[in-house]
Amino acid sequence: MNRFIWLVRREIWEHKAIWVAPAILLVCLLLAVITGNVHLGPIGEMDASTPLGSLPQDKQIKLLLIAYAGIALVVYMVMGIVGFFYALDSLYADRRDRSVLFWKSLPLSDAETVLSKFTIAAIVIPLVAFTGALLAQFFIAGGGAAKLTAAGHAAGIMWQPEALLGGVTLSLIWCVTAMFWYAPVIAYLMLASAWAPKGPFLWAVLPPVAISLLEVVLLHTSHAKDFIADRMFGLYRLLGSQDQHVAGDAVKDEVIKLSNIDLAANLKEFYGSPDMWLGIVAAALLLAGAIWVRRYRDETT
């Protein structure tokens, strides 16, 4: 167990982007807060000229929930990019600089090495994203409170538990569901990283693109493209409303969309779906493939 923990810590030390990327994002956000460039104004059908403090409490909560969830989503998107390129380079980098020969000379199994890298991409990076999202939400709350105080409004608006805890809850849900939902994607990228003689990005991206194009050209269907799109963006179904017929065209409004979220129903559907659990099985098979390739691949190619 100690060896595995040290392998995880080594990955964190060697790949500084895991903590540098969110740190840079938070510094930029903090500078925006300090310079007063945090703008919170009504959206959707609300009058944009109306100050936040003049709105009814229910609309304040809806607006703040969107602001907190939105800044968290930005952090998760940035960390998603970091996780994508980390997984893609995780096993290829060891072969590129021949350091894999050194690591194989140590009493470490290929399974330990691959699983430690998978732990970074599937668990550590989402947890870092959650921490960054949490800090970003508090920065926004503090900056918004300062602006409201300067404008003569009650600063406590920004710290309403329904809004702040709602944003934190959404961030935590995204973190946990991302660990499960993107597990097969991460495992696939690691398999491509272990296999690719050169250019792991092309080896990872071209096969699904080619399959999708061939299906469209030959069969005039788009099942492969829909499957890939759902696996890449299906997590964000948690942002959607269960009732797609509420208030007609107003469903498109972000305020109504977010206020109609039924998290309990969405999570029950999400965790009870065969897609998620088949994805876990696929991730295990792909990881087994990555371990096998790393064990038997000729390191001179």
Side-chain angles (χ1 to χ4, degrees), residues 91 110 114 186-195 283-296:
L91 297 174
D110 293 288
V114 172
I186 294 169
Y188 168 76
L189 293 174
M190 292 184 66
L191 177 60
S193 181
W195 171 261
L285 295 175
L286 290 168
L287 280 176
I291 293 170
W292 186 89
V293 171
R294 189 180 190 274
R295 180 176 301 157
Y296 295 107

Side-chain angles (χ1 to χ4, degrees), residues 35-114:
T35 56
N37 291 319
V38 174
H39 301 287
L40 289 173
I43 62 175
E45 296 179 345
M46 303 176 188
D47 183 4
S49 63
T50 305
L52 177 65
S54 302
L55 294 173
Q57 186 177 19
D58 61 332
K59 290 189 176 181
Q60 291 177 9
I61 293 173
K62 291 176 183 178
L63 178 60
L64 291 174
L65 180 56
I66 290 171
Y68 294 144
I71 192 63
L73 186 58
V74 172
V75 176
Y76 276 102
M77 290 175 66
V78 171
M79 294 308 294
I81 295 172
V82 172
F84 176 88
F85 285 102
Y86 168 82
L88 197 57
D89 197 53
S90 58
L91 297 174
Y92 174 75
D94 288 347
R95 290 187 292 109
R96 182 181 56 212
D97 59 14
R98 297 295 190 268
S99 63
V100 65
L101 300 175
F102 167 74
W103 292 110
K104 284 194 171 185
S105 67
L106 299 178
L108 298 172
S109 68
D110 293 288
E112 285 178 310
T113 303
V114 172

Side-chain angles (χ1 to χ4, degrees), residues 5 7 16 78 96 99 102 105 111 145 159-160 169 184-185 188 191 231 259-260:
I5 293 175
L7 284 172
K16 295 181 175 59
V78 171
R96 182 181 56 212
S99 63
F102 167 74
S105 67
W159 304 99
Q160 295 183 75
T169 300
V185 177
Y188 168 76
L191 177 60
R231 179 54 63 175
S259 63
N260 282 318

Side-chain angles (χ1 to χ4, degrees), residues 41 48 58 71 83 120 137 141 175 179 182-183 224 231-232 240-241 248 266 284:
D58 61 332
I71 192 63
I120 293 292
Q137 289 170 343
C175 174
M179 293 179 184
Y182 290 117
R231 179 54 63 175
M232 294 301 296
S241 169
N266 278 13

